Amino acid sequence: MILQQSCFGAIARPAIMISAGQPYQMYVAPKSDRVAQPVGGDVLDSEALDVRERQLGFVPTQPDLMLSFTDFFTTSVPVVTAAALASGEASDGKAAPAHEPDLGVSSPGQLSRPMLMRLDGTELGELFSLEQSDVVIGRGPKCGIRVYDDSVSDVHASISRSDGVWHVRDLGSSNGTLLNGRRVNESQQLRDGALIRLAPGVSFVFQRINARHEAALRHLFEGSCRDSLTGVHNRRYVDERLCEEVAFAVRHRHPLSLVVMGVDGFRQKLRNGTGDVVLQQLVDRVRPVLRVEDVFGRYGRSEFALVLRSTEAFTAGAIAERLRQAVQEVGTVSAGCAFLAECADPVAASLTSLAKQRQKEAAAKGGNRVVIG
């Protein structure tokens, strides 16, 4: 079996990804070219697989199940039993049908779409579709791909298409742009697997992938940073972004605020069986109030956190009050606001502790209110 590896450089590992609805599984190829080692699972005999495509090969073993060979980064995802796959059994233990399902794939090129995938930071694994012929990457609010890192210039680089060929160009950034380890001084052509580095800890890979592969990658990314019930960011993501924002605020002496709010009487709502619905409805009403740069996520069983970059105390209090009013039809919330300038030790833990303390104070006073200081 011949599987071609596109060029990620030294940081890439070839892998076979299995997609069968949810979840997605990944098998990572070891040094030997005869077997693929799954993450946390058994060895999959590659000779038993009939790979129809070389770069994004599909192995039909049951309806809606395909294996795609790709260069990818290993991650902690569930893995089905390799023995069951090799013997033609589905993941639920039932035998797979003898016929080959029509996956609707004639060649990777016909269904491929150009993408950039983030390779580091809190956005690790995020996909950006290159649907326009010219996309600007940078920290500025008007950029098509916005990067929240102060090592990146407001307008850093552009990805453009000309006569069907994609190129990367540096736009006079402070730290420059690297393509496969070399500085970009003029427009450079992008090939599959090209590594674009804007700054330390800010890298993307350029790839053409088909719709099924894209769906699998998006599923993995969303599962790593989103709360499955409400669709907003999860606590891990909020904590990581808060640490980044604190570092940025301290370095540039910018204001930073944090709002923590909790649903009043949530235990009673759980007993009534309405807890999950209330959380979902609350999020639906909060979304329109948020700014593009705000980081909002579920922070506990009935708690949410809002990170407000470059926001003074008065403005943060006003935003928290708008949130409180926005959810009145669903239920009441108690919110606490904290500001980095108040913390004797300007770190994320101190800011979080102060915001949670004030949220509890608001709840103790009867709820349905905002405590600022």
Side-chain angles (χ1 to χ4, degrees):
M1 177 174 73
I2 300 176
L3 295 174
Q4 290 183 343
Q5 178 180 359
S6 58
C7 178
F8 267 125
I11 57 175
R13 297 180 64 186
I16 291 178
M17 178 179 292
I18 306 171
S19 60
Q22 297 179 355
Y24 292 90
Q25 295 83 30
M26 183 173 300
Y27 286 79
V28 180
K31 294 181 180 179
S32 168
D33 60 357
R34 297 192 56 182
V35 294
Q37 177 65 45
V39 180
D42 301 322
V43 172
L44 177 63
D45 183 0
S46 58
E47 291 186 343
L49 305 177
D50 178 20
V51 179
R52 299 192 301 187
E53 303 295 345
R54 290 195 171 190
Q55 188 152 2
L56 291 176
F58 305 134
V59 185
T61 57
Q62 67 182 83
D64 295 328
L65 173 65
M66 69 177 182
L67 308 185
S68 61
F69 176 81
T70 180
D71 292 320
F72 201 69
F73 293 88
T74 61
T75 183
S76 297
V77 294
V79 178
V80 295
T81 304
L85 289 172
S87 64
E89 291 185 350
S91 57
D92 60 1
K94 298 178 181 178
H99 69 279
E100 269 195 10
D102 182 7
L103 295 174
V105 177
S106 55
S107 69
Q110 288 182 324
L111 293 179
S112 65
R113 299 175 58 192
M115 298 275 175
L116 286 184
M117 183 172 70
R118 183 73 185 271
L119 299 182
D120 39 33
T122 53
E123 287 77 26
L124 171 66
E126 184 172 5
L127 288 179
F128 300 91
S129 302
L130 299 176
E131 298 177 351
Q132 299 178 350
S133 58
D134 192 359
V135 179
V136 176
I137 309 174
R139 202 176 64 225
K142 295 184 179 180
C143 292
I145 299 178
R146 196 172 181 189
V147 180
Y148 296 97
D149 190 295
D150 60 335
S151 299
V152 175
S153 299
D154 287 345
V155 178
H156 196 107
S158 70
I159 307 295
S160 58
R161 182 183 59 202
S162 177
D163 297 328
V165 179
W166 288 90
H167 296 80
V168 60
R169 181 166 58 97
D170 186 78
L171 299 177
S173 63
S174 299
N175 293 322
T177 302
L178 301 181
L179 175 62
N180 295 328
R182 296 183 178 181
R183 183 174 291 274
V184 175
N185 295 317
E186 56 185 20
S187 181
Q188 297 287 329
Q189 182 178 346
L190 291 174
R191 303 183 185 278
D192 277 2
L195 185 65
I196 303 169
R197 183 173 181 264
L198 307 184
V202 183
S203 300
F204 297 86
V205 66
F206 174 82
Q207 259 196 318
R208 296 177 184 272
I209 59 179
N210 62 37
R212 294 289 297 275
H213 195 178
E214 177 187 351
L217 294 177
R218 290 192 184 280
H219 176 82
L220 289 172
F221 172 73
E222 293 296 322
S224 70
C225 67
R226 297 280 179 181
D227 173 56
S228 59
L229 175 65
T230 61
V232 298
H233 294 302
N234 58 25
R235 178 162 184 163
R236 182 196 64 80
Y237 181 90
V238 174
D239 280 338
E240 291 181 0
R241 279 297 303 273
L242 181 60
C243 289
E244 293 177 357
E245 295 297 339
V246 167
F248 179 88
V250 171
R251 187 177 303 115
H252 296 279
R253 298 182 180 179
H254 283 193
L256 178 66
S257 300
L258 176 66
V259 177
V260 173
M261 65 179 189
V263 180
D264 296 329
F266 189 71
R267 290 183 180 178
Q268 183 60 43
K269 291 179 174 61
L270 284 177
R271 285 194 286 267
N272 295 339
T274 60
D276 289 352
V277 174
V278 167
L279 294 179
Q280 292 169 334
Q281 292 177 343
L282 182 145
V283 167
D284 289 340
R285 284 159 175 77
V286 165
R287 290 186 193 276
V289 182
L290 302 177
R291 304 171 301 180
V292 175
E293 64 270 23
D294 295 338
V295 179
F296 181 72
R298 189 176 179 188
Y299 211 64
R301 194 177 192 185
S302 62
E303 291 180 339
F304 294 87
L306 175 62
V307 182
L308 301 170
R309 170 182 266 206
S310 301
T311 304
E312 300 283 358
F314 176 80
T315 304
I319 293 175
E321 179 59 24
R322 287 203 297 272
L323 294 179
R324 187 192 66 80
Q325 294 177 9
V327 302
Q328 288 291 300
E329 295 181 3
V330 177
T332 63
V333 295
S334 301
C337 295
F339 320 105
L340 190 61
E342 298 179 283
C343 301
D345 186 13
V347 295
S350 299
L351 186 61
T352 302
S353 178
L354 184 57
K356 294 184 72 173
Q357 176 184 330
R358 289 175 177 170
Q359 187 274 325
K360 292 179 181 179
E361 181 182 341
K365 290 181 177 179
N368 195 23
R369 68 188 65 212
V370 176
V371 172
I372 298 177

